[in-house]
Amino acid sequence: MIVATSVDPWWIDLIKALVIINLLMVAFAYSTWLERKVLSRMQLRYGPNRAGPYGLLQPIADLIKLIRKEAFARVAAIDVLYIAAPALSTFTALAAFSVIPFGQGWHIWKWDVRGVVADVPIGLILVFALGSVGIYGFIVGGWASESKYSLLGSMRTCAQMVSYEVSLALSVLGVVLTAHSLKLTDIVNHQIHDQWLAGPQFVGLVCFFIAGIAETNRPPFDLPEADTELVAGYHTEYSGMRYGLFAQAEYVNMITLSALAVTLFFGGWEGPWAPLGPLWFLIKLGIALFVFMWLRATLPRLRYDQLMRFGWKVLLPVATLNALVTALVVVAA
């Protein structure tokens, strides 16, 4: 007799976690290649085209370079915090993806395998909580480096994240009120049975995307890493794989934010036709990542005062108003 269970055993969750982590590593590596290709084409250049066909082996060459590169540190650096900071940022970035649903689930032998590593009731809060903890890696790394440029970068990171994290949380409040759940699978199922929330929550989507760009330190909000002002910001004094971990954390955070936008506003794994499941999720995720890269090639970096003014005087009021209007509509309905 075949018995199916609705809860995955621990070893299935472990296998899924290992697969997702390795896929995120590959996605990070080839996101760097894709971004360089996109930027070069938009600037009428070729981009990576020497390491392998079409430069496809460039991420592997970069990895070998980072592994072989000397990992130096300032004499005055605080050793434990200096080393732990990039590891903390990378760990939280990878862990946040564990609650992102990428498929409805599959029946394999006698198990009903869910399309998510950890389907927790407070998945949305967990993503924001892990993102907030990961920010400490950037802040502590800059401070522990004992460098004025790194310290300025970490101070900018702290101010920018505090400013835009509030707007990021408020922008998804309308989605939570509409779906009546903090569980990401419930939000996707609500969109499957009703409609994608990108339409009703268009204002929230715009606020979420702008705040997400600022949260991931991506242009035009890359003030913590402003190379023309702060050398490289909080990771100025890092080299080798320690720097590589910071770069990985930034790209994985970008992938996670894009996946969260797909989940909250674009129906997750559901497509307009043909039940392709995870394939639709990957297509939407790829489009969201392309927009991140497109903005980097298009928009200049904001001044710091413009960044802070926009966050507090424009984005925060709009996100708050969107949440209030959604609450009134939900109550009236």
Side-chain angles (χ1 to χ4, degrees), residues 60-262:
I60 299 177
D62 292 337
L63 175 62
I64 295 174
K65 181 193 73 172
L66 289 174
I67 292 175
R68 296 185 60 195
K69 195 171 184 179
E70 179 184 1
F72 62 86
R74 290 173 57 87
V75 176
I78 304 174
D79 293 341
V80 176
L81 296 179
Y82 178 81
I83 296 173
L88 174 64
S89 297
T90 300
F91 172 78
T92 55
L94 293 171
F97 203 91
S98 63
V99 297
I100 302 293
F102 51 85
Q104 189 172 10
W106 308 270
H107 185 78
I108 302 176
W109 193 35
K110 63 178 181 178
W111 307 107
D112 287 328
V113 181
R114 297 168 298 175
V116 59
V117 176
D119 193 15
V120 296
I122 54 171
L124 187 57
I125 294 179
L126 185 59
V127 172
F128 287 132
L130 288 170
S132 299
V133 173
I135 292 170
Y136 284 103
F138 302 128
I139 297 172
V140 172
W143 174 76
S145 298
E146 289 293 332
S147 166
K148 59 183 178 181
Y149 297 110
S150 299
L151 180 60
L152 285 172
S154 64
M155 291 173 63
R156 283 188 173 187
T157 302
C158 184
Q160 180 171 320
M161 299 309 174
V162 169
S163 300
Y164 282 85
E165 201 165 67
V166 180
S167 301
L168 188 69
L170 286 173
S171 66
V172 302
L173 192 55
V175 173
V176 174
L177 292 171
T178 304
H180 304 288
S181 178
L182 289 166
K183 194 174 183 179
L184 295 179
T185 52
D186 288 346
I187 294 174
V188 173
N189 288 325
H190 172 82
Q191 295 178 81
I192 292 174
H193 295 114
D194 193 353
Q195 62 175 325
W196 291 1
L197 293 177
Q201 286 296 312
F202 180 75
V203 175
L205 170 61
V206 173
C207 293
F208 178 87
F209 196 76
I210 294 175
I213 295 172
E215 282 288 297
T216 52
N217 299 332
R218 296 284 302 179
F221 302 118
D222 59 335
L223 273 299
E225 306 173 23
D227 51 348
T228 55
E229 304 168 23
L230 302 175
V231 186
Y234 56 85
H235 56 67
T236 297
E237 302 299 335
Y238 283 89
S239 65
M241 279 307 299
R242 294 172 186 171
Y243 162 77
L245 289 176
F246 270 134
Q248 177 180 324
E250 177 183 323
Y251 275 88
V252 173
N253 279 328
M254 180 178 69
I255 294 171
T256 302
L257 259 292
S258 300
L260 188 60
V262 170

Side-chain angles (χ1 to χ4, degrees), residues 37-45 290 293-294 297-298:
K37 279 292 188 180
V38 169
L39 293 177
S40 62
R41 292 300 179 181
M42 289 185 175
Q43 298 167 356
L44 301 180
R45 298 185 289 108
F290 173 76
M293 300 168 187
W294 187 4
T298 306

Side-chain angles (χ1 to χ4, degrees), residues 268-311:
W269 64 82
E270 181 70 10
W273 66 85
L276 301 178
L279 184 58
W280 281 121
F281 180 83
L282 292 175
I283 292 173
K284 298 174 190 177
L285 179 61
I287 295 173
L289 291 174
F290 173 76
V291 174
F292 270 94
M293 300 168 187
W294 187 4
L295 291 177
R296 178 176 180 177
T298 306
L299 299 179
R301 182 186 302 125
L302 296 178
R303 287 202 322 262
Y304 193 71
D305 61 315
Q306 294 173 333
L307 173 81
M308 301 303 291
R309 188 185 308 117
F310 179 78

